[in-house]
């Protein structure tokens, strides 16, 4: 069955760097700074800000199909994996 055009979700492009997370969806962009602890991990408050910022930016409706995200990760020794995230 072919989906109607208005039900199709656009692809989201994500760039994750040492210092920021940048998202692009259509013409809209979002850039969120990353705060890291002494051990290099992202801090708890930063995780919460990222989650709420991305949720507001993506504005996914319950009737829309799942978004497809293409991620660019700046790091040495990156492995590529397909992930399915829960709603």
């Amino acid at each position: 069955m072919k989906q109607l055009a208005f039900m199709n979700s656009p692809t989201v492009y994500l760039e994750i760097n040492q210092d920021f997370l940048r998202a692009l969806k259509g013409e809209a962009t979002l850039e969120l700074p990353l705060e890291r602890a002494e051990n290099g991990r992202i801090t708890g408050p930063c995780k919460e800000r990222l989650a709420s910022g991305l949720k507001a930016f993506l504005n996914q409706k319950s009737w829309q199909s799942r978004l497809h995200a293409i991620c660019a990760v700046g790091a040495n020794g990156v492995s590529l994996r397909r992930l399915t995230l829960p709603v």
Side-chain angles (χ1 to χ4, degrees), residues 73-81:
V73 180
N76 293 331
V78 173
S79 62
L80 300 177
R81 296 188 176 112

Side-chain angles (χ1 to χ4, degrees), residues 42-60:
I42 296 174
T43 63
C46 180
K47 286 181 186 179
E48 291 175 16
R49 280 195 306 278
L50 290 172
S52 64
L54 282 171
K55 189 173 186 176
F57 175 73
L58 297 174
N59 196 21
Q60 185 72 5

Side-chain angles (χ1 to χ4, degrees), residues 1-76:
M1 181 176 191
K2 191 172 183 176
Q3 291 184 349
L4 300 173
F6 70 89
M7 292 180 69
N8 293 339
S9 297
T11 300
V12 177
Y13 299 94
L14 298 171
E15 179 184 359
I16 303 168
N17 196 330
Q18 183 68 21
D19 302 320
F20 64 85
L21 179 140
R22 186 177 295 146
L24 172 67
K25 179 182 172 190
E27 297 293 321
T29 60
L30 172 71
E31 188 169 322
L32 298 169
L34 299 180
E35 295 175 3
R36 297 189 179 271
E38 294 171 357
N39 61 4
R41 294 183 183 255
I42 296 174
T43 63
C46 180
K47 286 181 186 179
E48 291 175 16
R49 280 195 306 278
L50 290 172
S52 64
L54 282 171
K55 189 173 186 176
F57 175 73
L58 297 174
N59 196 21
Q60 185 72 5
K61 306 288 189 251
S62 61
W63 51 266
Q64 289 178 317
S65 61
R66 290 184 179 210
L67 291 171
H68 291 123
I70 297 176
C71 301
V73 180
N76 293 331

